[in-house]
Amino acid sequence: MTQISTANRVKPTKPLIEMRDISKHYGDYHALCGITLDIHEGEFFSLLGPSGCGKTTLLRVIAGFEGIDSGAVLISHQDMARVPANKRPTNMVFQSYAIFPHLSVAQNVGFGLRKSTMSKAQKEAAVAEALEMVGLKGYGARAAHALSGGQRQRVALARALILKPKVLLLDEPLSALDRKMREQMQVELIRLQRQVGITFILVTHDQEEALVMSDRIAVMFEGEIAQCDDPEILYRRPKSKRVADFIGVMNFLPATLHSHAGTIIADVAGLGEAEIAADQCPAGIPEGDALVGFRPETLTLLYDGQTATQREAAGVISEVVYYGDMTYYDVTLVGVSKPVRISMRNVFGRDVLAVGDATRVSWSAGALVVFP
Amino acid sequence: MLISPTALYALALLAIPLGAIVLISFWTQTGVRDFDTTLTGANYVEALSDPIYRALMFRSLRIAGLVTLVTVLAAFPIAYFVSFGVPAQKKSLWIFLITIPFWTSYLIRVFLWKVILGYNGVFNSGLKVLGVIDQPLTFLLYNANSVVITLAHAYAPFAILPIFVALEKIDRSLLEAARDLGENRVMTFLRVTLPLAAPGVIAAVLIVFIPTIGDYVTPELIGGPGGTMIANMIQAQFLRLNNAPLGAALAVLAMLIVSVIAVAFLVLGSRASGAKGTRK
């Protein structure tokens, strides 16, 4: 996975798009239920969720292709209710790319410049510049139908960006590409977004894609936003079991909670007792039965002679999946029937353990998340 | 050597009669069934020089052109409505309804137009009852107008179907893309819908134009003297005037003219539908 760190970027906080309690029905079907969300200027924002969760509908609402039953969409503090799609400061990269088949690449890219006050030469220069920006320099004269999938996508990007919109909307733009191409385009999209500084809103069902590219992610289920946070918080501190399950791999173990001198203590099956900090569980979680989640990489298998830095638990390896750089172990902890998954980076000179080996596991309380 | 049955069939029913017509057009008729088979171009000279034949040919072109224009202009909004305005599950029903006039014989439909457009026809009586006119309108029947109306009605479904198919093939996201890029509905129609529907429109033009230019029944029944077309003259040469070679020469010339126009439209069509950029 190619990862460009977004940590050192200045997080923009000025709201550009404000969505206020948006609801939309198709007959009995609730496509959007009370969406309230701010998207900031210059942000790379992702709407993530399974198919049918309403993420594309929400994107089309912002673009002006879909009306809403109630609520309001504001762009730059201006209510968009009576502004049609062709008058909005948004441009879209469609899932099918929607390249006009009867026009050349240059005519496609320059499609939106008809009403511009630029001279013909300026328009041509703008088209050439836009094509260069997406890495298609010199492709202007080509027929649109003679392009590959990746090239069509670049044309769609150039065509949208040439109009310098306030917001660029991307509807699953990478889903039609093969894996290698997709990873390359992810990096290019991030680079492009930094270069132009325009707010990007990406719709995707691919959690990895969202984590790689976004400043912030809104996870949607059934027309509602389940959680909206930056990628790291979303991954480390999911607010619900469903979000935790949707993003990456999460192990779940049953636990019982009790309060001791103001701190919450979780007695986790197979692991033992752990102090739970405020950000690791929902506020006001009741004592008693609960569920504890942790990511596979937060646990470490201990080899002979190693001691746990924090806490230790015992188990037996029940499955080994070897990935080359990584090995995934399913470990059955003492007293728990369902194995937990642990991922280990393969280090030179260290053997991969075998099924049936007894093992010790190192874990720390800070990596746990508690769900009611 | 294997010749497929289809090829033999086409040869017998298409190539041989066509060849016979071309051959006869170079002969001279000497009696009721007697021909002088010496090859001569005299028929073509007469067909091209006699102002009557020229006038009839031009009238046929004009009427067929007018019919095509009226038919395609009327068909486009209908096709557009069925493609864009009718819910997906009801489209086949609409197409089915459009073909209903075909259930009646063509001849009966022509006669029905006679009833509608005649001196004491439905149209004139209706207008008289309403007090719009005192005297029946006479420009409706037995002239070129009635031929245009009747043919346009008869060929409407043939024009609607290819345009409908072309409109159905347009990816709807292209129209959204045009809107997204700042164009209103009218400009989206002109810049995206119309160019992409062009192949269907060209097909409709050819399907209507080619048969109507050679139509014989409609002008014969309701055309009157002012609505006579080239096909009527060809028929007269063959049967009444006993000059099959001249009739054949007129037929060959008409065929050539239609071919030239059809090819011109096909070239126009492929240019309209193909991308303007060069392939590499």
Side-chain angles (χ1 to χ4, degrees):
Chain A
M1 193 164 85
T2 327
Q3 172 88 52
I4 290 183
S5 170
T6 50
N8 58 349
R9 297 176 66 184
V10 180
K11 292 283 177 331
T13 49
K14 210 171 135 199
L16 178 66
I17 301 179
E18 296 156 79
M19 287 170 258
R20 298 276 169 269
D21 202 21
I22 295 173
S23 289
K24 182 173 178 63
H25 308 72
Y26 296 107
D28 289 341
Y29 177 68
H30 287 238
L32 298 172
C33 319
I35 300 278
T36 295
L37 183 65
D38 280 359
I39 296 175
H40 305 143
E41 217 170 282
E43 190 171 38
F44 201 131
F45 194 91
S46 289
L47 296 168
L48 174 66
S51 58
C53 72
K55 57 192 191 299
T56 296
T57 306
L58 187 59
L59 195 77
R60 292 172 58 80
V61 163
I62 299 170
F65 295 132
E66 305 274 355
I68 45 178
D69 299 336
S70 62
V73 180
L74 286 80
I75 302 179
S76 303
H77 309 298
Q78 193 198 345
D79 191 352
M80 288 287 127
R82 294 186 181 282
V83 183
N86 53 327
K87 299 256 164 67
R88 294 197 183 190
T90 60
N91 282 116
M92 179 119 123
V93 173
F94 290 81
Q95 188 171 11
S96 64
Y97 309 144
I99 303 296
F100 302 116
H102 58 299
L103 302 177
S104 71
V105 168
Q107 286 169 324
N108 262 287
V109 174
F111 191 92
L113 294 180
R114 187 181 64 85
K115 282 183 281 188
S116 144
T117 52
M118 285 193 272
S119 72
K120 196 161 176 273
Q122 281 173 316
K123 283 181 189 174
E124 278 168 16
V127 168
E129 191 192 339
L131 281 173
E132 193 174 347
M133 187 168 64
V134 297
L136 287 180
K137 194 180 178 185
Y139 278 66
R142 287 213 192 177
H145 54 75
L147 298 176
S148 71
Q151 288 168 335
R152 294 166 82 80
Q153 178 179 47
R154 285 157 196 266
V155 172
L157 267 171
R159 184 177 70 181
L161 286 173
I162 199 171
L163 299 174
K164 303 198 165 49
K166 284 182 179 161
V167 188
L168 184 75
L169 308 169
L170 302 119
D171 185 8
E172 306 238 8
L174 307 177
S175 59
L177 305 177
D178 63 57
R179 191 184 166 86
K180 255 212 161 86
M181 190 63 156
R182 196 159 61 225
E183 286 175 358
Q184 190 190 333
M185 280 311 292
Q186 287 175 359
V187 179
E188 277 198 48
L189 277 175
I190 299 167
R191 176 188 62 80
L192 207 60
Q193 198 263 339
R194 283 185 188 175
Q195 190 186 332
V196 295
I198 291 170
T199 304
F200 279 31
I201 304 178
L202 173 83
V203 158
T204 182
H205 63 267
D206 183 338
Q207 46 96 13
E208 185 181 298
E209 188 172 296
L211 290 176
V212 169
M213 297 169 78
S214 322
D215 293 320
R216 281 196 307 150
I217 301 168
V219 181
M220 291 181 71
F221 297 119
E222 276 117 36
E224 288 181 71
I225 293 177
Q227 188 172 356
C228 177
D229 267 311
D230 69 45
E232 207 182 332
I233 292 180
L234 202 61
Y235 185 80
R236 286 178 50 191
R237 297 282 185 254
K239 280 183 186 151
S240 64
K241 183 175 180 287
R242 202 162 172 200
V243 172
D245 235 357
F246 189 72
I247 293 175
V249 179
M250 184 68 105
N251 291 302
F252 294 103
L253 287 173
T256 42
L257 301 183
H258 63 270
S259 210
H260 181 78
T263 38
I264 299 171
I265 308 287
D267 187 6
V268 187
L271 293 178
E273 286 202 340
E275 285 181 14
I276 300 298
D279 72 327
Q280 286 170 263
C281 63
I285 189 166
E287 292 190 6
D289 288 343
L291 210 56
V292 157
F294 54 93
R295 298 288 182 191
E297 67 277 7
T298 59
L299 267 63
T300 317
L301 292 186
L302 295 172
Y303 285 77
D304 291 340
Q306 283 184 310
T307 48
T309 46
Q310 299 228 346
R311 290 148 199 257
E312 207 177 294
V316 175
I317 293 174
S318 56
E319 189 68 74
V320 178
V321 186
Y322 180 72
Y323 273 95
D325 60 335
M326 303 282 289
T327 305
Y328 281 77
Y329 295 98
D330 283 349
V331 176
T332 309
L333 297 169
V334 173
V336 185
S337 57
K338 194 169 164 278
V340 294
R341 173 150 284 199
I342 298 173
S343 67
M344 292 285 286
R345 187 153 290 282
N346 290 329
V347 178
F348 179 73
R350 190 167 74 190
D351 292 335
V352 172
L353 297 173
V355 173
D357 287 358
T359 185
R360 292 173 301 130
V361 172
S362 162
W363 64 283
S364 59
L368 305 181
V369 235
V370 183
F371 306 108
Chain B
M1 199 169 76
L2 283 169
I3 297 174
S4 74
T6 339
L8 284 175
Y9 199 73
L11 194 74
L13 292 178
L14 203 70
I16 292 175
L18 207 61
I21 286 286
V22 174
L23 188 63
I24 291 170
S25 71
F26 289 102
W27 290 354
T28 317
Q29 191 147 11
T30 51
V32 177
R33 283 199 176 81
D34 304 316
F35 292 96
D36 175 358
T37 55
T38 332
L39 297 182
T40 166
N43 296 316
Y44 286 95
V45 174
E46 193 184 344
L48 288 170
S49 55
D50 193 323
I52 286 186
Y53 304 138
R54 218 184 304 161
L56 280 179
M57 193 66 230
F58 278 125
R59 184 192 284 162
S60 300
L61 282 171
R62 205 185 64 235
I63 289 179
L66 209 57
V67 170
T68 310
L69 190 74
V70 170
T71 311
V72 172
L73 282 184
F76 198 98
I78 298 170
Y80 189 90
F81 171 73
V82 177
S83 181
F84 286 89
V86 174
Q89 66 273 21
K90 289 202 177 127
K91 280 181 184 173
S92 3
L93 176 69
W94 274 81
I95 292 298
F96 171 74
L97 291 175
I98 285 166
T99 60
I100 280 187
F102 280 113
W103 296 8
T104 326
S105 145
Y106 176 57
L107 219 53
I108 290 173
R109 272 181 285 153
V110 176
F111 274 115
L112 282 173
W113 276 107
K114 215 168 176 169
V115 172
I116 294 167
L117 300 172
Y119 191 77
N120 287 317
V122 176
F123 195 68
N124 276 327
S125 338
L127 287 181
K128 259 202 286 194
V129 167
L130 291 172
V132 180
I133 51 169
D134 295 330
Q135 291 299 310
L137 303 169
T138 52
F139 65 86
L140 292 171
L141 196 57
Y142 298 123
N143 55 27
N145 295 335
S146 54
V147 177
V148 171
I149 293 170
T150 308
L151 285 176
H153 172 250
Y155 281 93
F158 290 114
I160 293 170
L161 286 174
I163 298 172
F164 170 75
V165 170
L167 290 172
E168 279 291 283
K169 277 203 291 192
I170 297 175
D171 180 356
R172 299 306 193 251
S173 71
L174 293 175
L175 308 180
E176 285 188 344
R179 299 271 288 152
D180 188 59
L181 294 166
E183 294 296 11
N184 58 28
R185 285 178 199 285
V186 176
M187 285 310 294
T188 298
F189 176 80
L190 292 176
R191 294 186 74 189
V192 181
T193 315
L194 202 54
L196 291 176
V201 174
I202 300 284
V205 164
L206 290 175
I207 287 172
V208 177
F209 185 78
I210 293 174
T212 48
I213 197 168
D215 195 80
Y216 157 75
V217 177
T218 312
E220 185 74 19
L221 291 177
I222 59 170
T228 311
M229 287 165 72
I230 194 73
N232 306 100
M233 179 52 81
I234 295 170
Q235 183 257 359
Q237 293 292 349
F238 268 93
L239 301 178
R240 269 183 273 166
L241 303 172
N242 266 335
N243 195 352
L246 183 59
L250 286 171
V252 169
L253 283 175
M255 232 173 339
L256 283 176
I257 291 169
V258 171
S259 305
V260 168
I261 294 171
V263 167
F265 263 108
L266 281 177
V267 170
L268 208 75
S270 68
R271 206 173 286 172
S273 60
K276 279 161 194 148
T278 50
R279 282 189 220 199
K280 280 180 189 170

